[in-house]
Amino acid sequence: MKSLPQISEAEFEVMKIVWKHAPISTNEITDRLIKTTAWSPKTIQTLIKRLVTKGALTYEKQSRVFVYTPLVDEKEYIGQESSSFLNRFYGGHISAMLSAYIDNGKLSEAEINTLRALLSKDSGKGGN
């Protein structure tokens, strides 16, 4: 598995916009983030530049507009981050994580039922 760039929480907010709407211009990214954050346009532009430097985004200039597309796959990145989180806090054991969430009341009954359905669906495939 290739090594993916380290992305901060703020940079991740930018990536979510790009993953959802790519190809997307600087102004479109800024317009969307101004609605959901307290960031200035300058801050957003700095985050975009950092993501380009890290190799998470690429751009192409169309007339006088920069248009961005991701170089990092969303599912691959989230999978890497999930594995890292599991390893760091739960020794790589998802059952330990789920147990902690259940014991601390972090899962609703609906979420537990969804997990049951997912597990029973997976067991029908012969998975472990």
Side-chain angles (χ1 to χ4, degrees), residues 4 9 63 86 114-116 127:
L4 300 175
E9 287 295 319
S63 299
L86 265 180
T114 299
L115 287 170
R116 283 189 182 113

Side-chain angles (χ1 to χ4, degrees), residues 12 17 22 37 39 43 46 126:
F12 185 68
I17 298 293
T37 69
W39 300 336
T43 297
T46 298

Side-chain angles (χ1 to χ4, degrees), residues 1-15:
M1 182 167 129
K2 70 178 178 180
S3 178
L4 300 175
Q6 291 291 317
I7 296 174
S8 72
E9 287 295 319
E11 292 165 346
F12 185 68
E13 291 302 313
V14 175
M15 288 302 295

Side-chain angles (χ1 to χ4, degrees), residues 14-117:
V14 175
M15 288 302 295
K16 288 192 298 189
I17 298 293
V18 176
W19 281 321
K20 187 172 183 178
H21 302 286
I24 185 169
S25 72
T26 308
N27 288 342
E28 291 170 315
I29 295 169
T30 302
D31 290 345
R32 290 180 184 279
L33 286 170
I34 282 178
K35 293 175 186 172
T36 60
T37 69
W39 300 336
S40 73
K42 186 79 173 153
T43 297
I44 295 167
Q45 290 173 6
T46 298
L47 292 168
I48 293 168
K49 286 177 189 169
R50 285 185 192 163
L51 287 164
V52 169
T53 301
K54 290 180 176 187
L57 292 179
T58 188
Y59 66 89
E60 131 183 346
K61 193 170 182 183
Q62 297 177 356
S63 299
R64 293 172 20 198
V65 176
F66 289 91
V67 177
Y68 296 88
T69 54
L71 290 173
V72 172
D73 180 74
E74 180 179 18
K75 288 181 181 174
E76 188 178 358
Y77 181 78
I78 290 172
Q80 173 185 282
E81 289 300 302
S82 297
S83 293
S84 175
F85 176 82
L86 265 180
N87 287 331
R88 182 174 177 196
F89 294 103
Y90 299 101
H93 301 284
I94 196 163
S95 57
M97 183 189 76
L98 289 172
S99 178
Y101 272 71
I102 291 167
D103 291 346
N104 293 313
K106 299 288 185 190
L107 292 178
S108 68
E109 199 59 42
E111 290 170 320
I112 292 169
N113 289 334
T114 299
L115 287 170
R116 283 189 182 113

